[in-house]
Amino acid sequence: MNHKSTVNFLIACCLLLGAVFSVSPAPTCNNCVTLDRWEQTNRIESSPAVKRSYSAASSPRLNLILPRGVQRGQTHTLEFSGERLGDAQEILFYSPGFKVESIEMVDVNRIKAVVQVAAEVPVGRHIAQVRTATGVSDYRPFWVNHLPIVAEVEPNNDLATAQAVAMNSTVDGVANNEDVDYYAVQCQEGQRLSVEIVAMRLGSYLFDPYIAILDANRFELAVSDDSALGGQDGICSVQVPSAGTYYVMVRESSFGGNGECRYQLHVGDFPRPTAVYPAGGQLGQSLSVQYLGDALGPFANEVTLPGAKSDEYSVHPSDAKGLSPSGIKFRLSEFPNALDSEPNNAAAAATSVEFPSAINGIIGENGDQDYFRFSAKQGQVWDIEVYGRRIRSGLDPVVHLLKGDGTYLVGNDDSRGPDPYLRWTVPEDGEYIVWVHDHLNRGRSDYVYRVEFQSVAAALNIEIPRVEQYGQYRQAIVVPRGGRFGSLILANRINFGGEIVLESDQLPAGLQLHAQAMSANLNQMPVVFEAAEDAPLGGQLVSLAARHADPNQAIRGTFKNSADFVLGEPNQSKYVTGEVEKVAIAVVEKLPFRIEIEQPTAPLVLDGTKDIKIKVLRDPGFNGNIHVEFPFRSPGVGTRGNIQIPPDQTEGLYPLNAAGNSQVGTWPIYAIGMSDVGGPAWSSSQLATLEVAAPYVTMEVARAGCEQGETVLVPCKINQLNAFEGEGRVQLLGLPPNCEAEPLTFTSTTTELVFRIKTTAETTAGKHRGVFCQVTIPVRGESVVSSTGGFELQVDVPLPKEEPKVETPAETPPPAAEAAPPAPPAEKPLSRLEKLRLENKKK
């Protein structure tokens, strides 16, 4: 039984037992407080007055947009479903061409929006999210098509009941369990029939589809399960041999499926190439490209490339019959193209290229090897990037570098997933050869690739880290009027070091950004956004940017965040992800609570602890529990995951500790609090500062010992490191049970103390290695607490007391008895030979 049959058999068995199958939600990080976990553990009801004032949409979540695809140039009603969406105010689209005409609430978790989609919107995937009166949802994908959309009509589970569809249309369908959907289409002799399914790429469910083109006799003309271009989504394109009815079959690849297995099936005589050659071009240039893999053969298009880089840029094939339903990824770079020139299957026949240029080639048949010759100067450093699978080619490329005489230097296979990468320093002036082939020495007419020799340059990008392992919770910036919202910003420095500062010139009106420069040795910084009391309500997508703190470095980067749309086995593998280059920022209504940090006046010292006071400012009538987190800690500083401030309290203490190797300095800190305001709502403190410093004193205590019940004097040497005023206090912690020592005081001039450690007969005997000094020093009205002077205290059990000896007169010993004569030695047994000799002698 093969794998798919096994899966089908297991599913059938479970169905017979009444099991219901669905993809389980992605697991969450146990170290993070997620929305679902908070709701399960913090069900604290707000007062009715507060709930009437604040809509039940705090922390909205968006799960799905229906229908999964829409036709451009039309007006559509889209349904957005999730959690707490009832007070939706706006739909934020990450690309232009969408106009929202109206928004209507279906219920608290669903809304309908009438959206006009412009005719010039590119076909393919687009991203949207919902802004409510009190928050911003996750972002989710949907698809834009150029063909008219028809709904699937059941029953269509056999050729006899196949649903008739017009040529060049898109079917909006669902594959239920063991469901096989058939569609009938009329074709002319020699006509191209192209079929493309968008299912996994819809980004809503782990649905692996299988498609096939059949003739009237059920013979398969083409089948596709997975494809290099579509990933788990199949693509078929054939030239039909005769006029008549042809059938398109759709099912789940293992005959599974359920109501969540939605698909968009494109059927028509449109072009459906699988690759483009060359696979990239120079920014801002126009060039002719060749499309490969179409049923009617290669064809050319003229394309004009944008002037700015984009990792997601695609070209969209078209011919007289129409436009392909999805694009093909296309590299954009600063380099002109150098093209493969066959035959170049050996080093001696290598194609000559001049740098700077990007090499483009095709591994056109099994065993094909491509060699390119170039010149380089000693000391040049290149990042050699080979693009194959990353541009959706079927090629699994391998790259090698040789000297001009064929001597092997270095190679790489999979440093970029299935694609190679290596950094190479030119050893000497001369000619060199780059050699490209498929990992399994396969080849095909659409196995395109691109090799870019990129000079090593500095680059920077920033993102908001996840607080959910697989979700987007708190990755938008939601600032209440008159309040604040804090977040961490992560930075990825590439080929440079130094401090980084954020740029904030694109913020919405009424917002301010508070942030210090990111330290050169850190990759994250805390940022607090603050809204004025009269800041306009609303939201927008903002291009956050960061730069090197030294303006002469001219290093600048922008925001990029990635989301996981579809996860599955093994180990929550990422099947569909989505990246955005803007962050959603919204100003919402004022919250009924705020939190503040009482600015610390004294430092947190190494090997020390400090409580940060968090104050809660509550509106009258609001008595919700406040869940507080402390997201940013400087290197070496630790704390607990959160604290709770109960409804009857207005402040709490957040405990911090500093390791002995913590980085000293003055660091930014903030706290962020959450409470139930018709759903979890977040409010941040101001951006305060905390000094991490060396301790004021250290202490040295030698090993000490005594017996149970004794008092031992233990000298302590004080090393004065920083002057302070007043008296410090030191006490011994870690003493064994039934043992005590009075705390001692000292000043900035004290050099030695003596502890009196009293034990009792019940004091635990043994070696107690965890005894240490806890030092408390008053500094600017606060207490500076540190630990120092660890030592070992040995407590022994007393030796037993000896009884006094009593002298007794010695007795006269009795006379010694005469010694008995020694016993005769035992006779030695005779051997057989000796016995025979003795008998013979007697005779």
Side-chain angles (χ1 to χ4, degrees), residues 210-467:
Y210 177 95
I211 61 173
I213 298 175
L214 313 176
D215 64 14
N217 298 316
R218 290 183 179 269
F219 288 106
E220 293 179 338
L221 303 182
V223 300
S224 182
D225 184 353
D226 302 332
S227 63
L229 183 62
Q232 280 72 29
D233 292 342
I235 291 172
C236 294
S237 182
V238 300
Q239 187 175 13
V240 300
S242 59
T245 302
Y246 291 83
Y247 299 90
V248 178
M249 180 189 72
V250 178
R251 62 173 171 83
E252 202 276 334
S253 61
S254 298
F255 290 93
N258 57 41
E260 301 297 325
C261 293
R262 300 179 176 88
Y263 61 83
Q264 301 272 291
L265 181 71
H266 309 291
V267 180
D269 61 354
F270 50 79
R272 184 57 279 175
T274 53
V276 58
Y277 182 77
Q282 192 172 11
L283 289 166
Q285 302 295 309
S286 296
L287 74 159
S288 177
V289 298
Q290 194 84 357
Y291 289 110
L292 311 173
D294 187 74
L296 298 184
F299 63 94
N301 277 173
E302 291 289 326
V303 297
T304 299
L305 303 181
K309 282 188 175 183
S310 171
D311 292 335
E312 300 301 317
Y313 182 74
S314 297
V315 290
H316 295 268
S318 64
D319 65 7
K321 294 296 184 180
L323 179 72
S324 294
S326 62
I328 302 175
K329 292 196 75 172
F330 195 80
R331 284 287 302 163
L332 300 172
S333 72
E334 302 88 350
F335 315 111
N337 284 330
L339 303 182
D340 180 13
S341 178
E342 296 286 354
N344 63 345
N345 289 1
T351 301
S352 294
V353 297
E354 293 186 4
F355 282 178
S357 61
I359 297 172
N360 297 267
I362 305 172
I363 302 298
E365 58 187 16
N366 292 340
D368 191 8
Q369 316 275 315
D370 285 352
Y371 291 80
F372 300 87
R373 185 179 297 272
F374 63 95
S375 297
K377 297 290 186 181
Q378 181 180 8
Q380 288 180 310
V381 182
W382 299 101
D383 280 340
I384 303 174
E385 296 276 5
V386 183
Y387 295 89
R389 293 293 175 85
R390 285 181 287 175
I391 54 173
R392 292 299 187 180
S393 171
L395 180 72
D396 183 2
V398 182
V399 66
H400 311 273
L401 288 175
L402 316 174
K403 285 187 175 182
D405 60 5
T407 303
Y408 189 85
L409 292 176
V410 67
N412 188 260
D413 186 0
D414 293 337
S415 285
R416 298 284 198 239
D419 285 349
Y421 158 82
L422 53 88
R423 177 167 289 184
W424 178 57
T425 301
V426 181
E428 59 186 28
D429 292 358
E431 287 194 336
Y432 295 89
I433 295 171
V434 58
W435 165 29
V436 180
H437 63 89
D438 181 77
H439 178 74
L440 299 177
N441 282 321
R442 302 171 306 160
R444 210 170 72 174
S445 61
D446 60 352
Y447 277 13
V448 300
Y449 64 88
R450 181 175 172 90
V451 182
E452 294 182 4
F453 279 67
Q454 302 172 359
S455 57
V456 177
L460 170 66
N461 58 69
I462 58 174
E463 63 181 288
I464 296 176
R466 298 185 182 188
V467 296

